């Protein structure tokens, strides 16, 4: 799985086929366009149901803007994957509703085993999670016992259970820098673009698993250069899951929260953004006087199923959320469960990350 191994291209092709076949099974375009009146009705019923069940809604920046608003209006939270995990753990609610993808729900459950964690759908996964099966990953680790295992949060609970550290994109650089300063060599999984980026930035000795996010991989440096010529005053903000040429052309590379912070602190009035377009809701709400332009992707909406829009995040719909809250049968079907021993093992590297984040809070928050 090392990115330089001769099998890497073959493996990636197999992973891509796996992800594509998964996408074929879900109908990400099923999202019906709801009228304003219907949306208002859903919002009211969801707010009532959250209140009645004393549940807390935690949403990712990539989800539908209406869900993001609902999370905030109901006293819940919208954030990046690190902040979602922290908020879920710290809030008092005994039921967490996680609008995002499955690894986010699993992280919430691992950190709060006594809480009930439900999601609008358990089908909402992630190409990185799919392309890093626990058994293959475990064999990869077994083959390199001398390396410290660092996994991205976008992995299953079983993969986390095999790790020494879990990181999210908002804290990956700091943790790898720390490990490097301790003289440790690293086995990294699963996102090769983020792994390569950290390797370049820190110079750490990293052996990489070879997968990618199907959304960020679509951003293209050539199109970005053309776009920069059209918007010469714009700053480019990129998520580190994007390809290296895109990151090299970016003014700021960071997690979703770091991208949002950069949009507020940089003096530019225009921004070209290389990440899921769901983030535009927060960007435009916080800076209504600024212009945000999506970075160019390989295809267009007619041919590309992941052009700056994660199909799995898109599965978090209002009807699914309402059904999970109103129907006990539906709630049981979308409840996250993680085997107790797996959760206990995965808790160790997750907690290590949270402890590290707490100790280095100022540095992490100041990143962007
Ligand atoms: P963040 O941790 O930056 O929110 O990213 C999560 C993710 O899935 C990006 O594609
Ligand atoms: Fe996974 Fe990419 Fe979707 Fe994020 S945007 S959840 S990394 S597929």
């Amino acid at each position: 799985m090392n990115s330089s191994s001769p099998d890497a291209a073959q493996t990636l092709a197999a992973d891509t086929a796996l992800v594509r076949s998964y996408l074929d099974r879900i109908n990400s375009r099923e999202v019906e366009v709801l009228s304003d009146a219907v949306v208002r009705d859903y919002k009211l019923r969801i707010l009532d149901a959250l209140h009645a069940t004393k549940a807390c809604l935690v949403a990712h920046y990539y989800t539908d803007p209406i869900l993001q608003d609902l999370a905030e209006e109901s006293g819940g939270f919208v954030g990046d994957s690190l902040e979602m995990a922290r908020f879920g753990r710290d809030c008092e609610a005994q039921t967490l509703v996680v609008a995002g993808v499955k690894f986010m729900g699993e992280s919430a459950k691992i950190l709060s085993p006594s809480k009930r964690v439900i999601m609008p759908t358990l089908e909402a996964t992630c190409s990185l999670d799919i392309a890093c099966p626990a058994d293959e990953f475990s064999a990869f680790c077994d083959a390199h016992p001398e390396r410290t295992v660092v996994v991205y949060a976008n992995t299953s609970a079983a993969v986390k259970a095999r790790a020494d550290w879990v990181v999210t994109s908002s804290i990956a650089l700091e943790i790898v820098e720390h490990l490097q300063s301790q003289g440790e060599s690293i086995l990294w999984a699963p996102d090769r673009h983020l792994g390569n980026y950290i390797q370049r930035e820190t110079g750490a000795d990293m052996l990489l698993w070879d997968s990618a996010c199907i959304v960020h991989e679509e951003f293209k440096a050539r199109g970005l250069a053309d776009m920069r010529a059209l918007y010469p005053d714009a700053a480019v903000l990129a998520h580190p899951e994007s390809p290296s040429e895109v990151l090299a052309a970016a003014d700021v590379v960071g997690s979703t929260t770091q991208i949002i912070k950069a949009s507020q602190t940089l003096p530019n009035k225009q921004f070209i953004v290389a990440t899921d377009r769901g983030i535009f809701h927060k960007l435009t709400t916080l800076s209504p006087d600024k212009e945000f332009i999506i970075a160019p992707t390989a295809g267009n909406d007619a041919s590309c199923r992941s052009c700056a829009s994660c199909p799995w995040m898109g599965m978090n719909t209002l009807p699914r959320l309402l059904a999970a809250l109103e129907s006990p049968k539906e709630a049981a079907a979308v409840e996250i469960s993680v085997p107790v021993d797996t959760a206990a093992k995965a808790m160790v590297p997750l907690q290590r990350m949270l402890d590290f984040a707490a100790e280095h809070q100022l540095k992490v928050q100041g990143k962007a």
Side-chain angles (χ1 to χ4, degrees):
M1 276 295 174
N2 184 341
S3 56
S4 60
S5 87
D7 294 337
Q10 221 178 344
T11 309
L12 184 62
D15 285 349
T16 304
L18 183 67
V19 170
R20 291 290 167 201
S21 73
Y22 199 97
L23 280 171
D24 285 339
R25 288 200 293 113
I26 64 167
N27 185 1
S28 62
R29 299 286 179 211
E30 77 186 24
V31 183
E32 343 157 34
V33 180
L34 305 172
S35 71
D36 289 350
V38 172
V39 168
R40 266 197 304 277
D41 185 51
Y42 269 116
K43 283 186 75 169
L44 288 175
R45 287 174 66 187
I46 288 168
L47 284 170
D48 280 353
L50 284 168
H51 186 69
T53 53
K54 296 190 173 58
C56 176
L57 177 59
V58 183
H60 190 266
Y61 290 124
Y62 294 167
T63 54
D64 183 330
I66 299 165
L67 282 178
Q68 296 185 44
D69 289 345
L70 268 170
E72 287 181 339
E73 281 167 31
S74 62
F77 182 75
V78 181
D80 69 19
S81 50
L82 175 64
E83 296 162 339
M84 286 171 76
R86 275 198 289 230
F87 187 90
R89 179 198 60 184
D90 296 342
C91 77
E92 282 179 5
Q94 284 308 301
T95 300
L96 299 176
V97 187
V98 177
V101 293
K102 196 171 172 190
F103 77 82
M104 295 171 178
E106 286 187 342
S107 293
K109 183 70 187 172
I110 293 164
L111 291 171
S112 309
S114 64
K115 295 186 183 179
R116 185 174 205 215
V117 179
I118 59 174
M119 300 188 68
T121 168
L122 297 185
E123 284 283 290
T125 183
C126 165
S127 61
L128 292 168
D129 188 347
I130 294 171
C132 189
D135 51 350
E136 286 177 35
F137 178 66
S138 198
F140 186 46
C141 296
D142 288 344
H144 303 281
E146 73 290 358
R147 289 180 178 266
T148 300
V149 177
V150 182
V151 302
Y152 194 28
N154 300 38
T155 45
S156 66
V159 165
K160 289 186 178 78
R162 191 63 170 83
D164 299 305
W165 288 82
V166 170
V167 299
T168 69
S169 54
S170 64
I171 202 172
L173 266 182
E174 286 82 356
I175 287 180
V176 171
E177 262 167 17
H178 164 74
L179 294 174
Q180 190 196 18
S181 74
Q182 309 288 304
E184 294 182 36
S185 61
I186 289 159
L187 182 155
W188 165 267
D191 187 89
R192 73 176 183 287
H193 294 309
L194 179 56
N196 274 322
Y197 170 69
I198 297 168
Q199 201 169 33
R200 278 197 307 280
E201 291 292 309
T202 62
D205 173 3
M206 293 172 73
L207 182 65
L208 308 182
W209 186 266
D210 197 356
S211 319
C213 160
I214 57 160
V215 179
H216 290 85
E217 191 154 63
E218 303 277 0
F219 293 116
K220 297 291 176 232
R222 213 170 124 191
L224 189 55
D226 293 345
M227 196 171 257
R228 259 201 190 276
L230 276 177
Y231 298 95
D233 298 329
V236 176
L237 312 177
H239 196 282
E241 290 169 12
S242 308
S244 58
E245 305 77 27
V246 171
L247 299 183
D251 297 291
V252 172
V253 176
S255 70
T256 46
T257 297
Q258 289 161 351
I259 285 174
I260 291 164
K261 283 191 180 144
S263 74
Q264 294 178 283
T265 50
L266 289 176
N268 308 61
K269 287 286 177 200
Q270 292 176 319
F271 293 91
I272 300 170
V273 183
T275 195
D276 184 287
R277 63 176 84 236
I279 202 172
F280 278 46
H281 181 54
K282 191 51 104 182
L283 291 172
T284 52
T285 307
L286 291 174
S287 304
D289 56 326
K290 299 186 179 181
E291 187 183 0
F292 296 95
I293 305 133
I294 195 75
T297 52
N300 56 43
D301 282 343
S303 61
C304 172
R305 284 178 295 181
S306 54
C307 289
S309 189
C310 176
W312 293 293
M313 288 283 182
M315 295 175 82
N316 292 274
T317 60
L318 291 175
R320 285 181 170 138
L321 173 58
L322 183 63
L325 286 167
E326 280 190 344
S327 150
K329 193 172 160 214
E330 190 52 34
V334 292
E335 179 169 353
I336 292 280
S337 80
V338 179
V340 176
D341 56 334
T342 305
K345 284 183 191 150
M347 175 75 172
V348 176
L350 258 174
Q351 189 59 50
R352 219 167 250 153
M353 170 182 73
L354 292 174
D355 290 346
F356 185 94
E359 274 169 41
H360 298 74
Q361 207 170 14
L362 285 177
K363 194 177 166 200
V364 172
Q365 285 180 351
K367 188 73 201 164

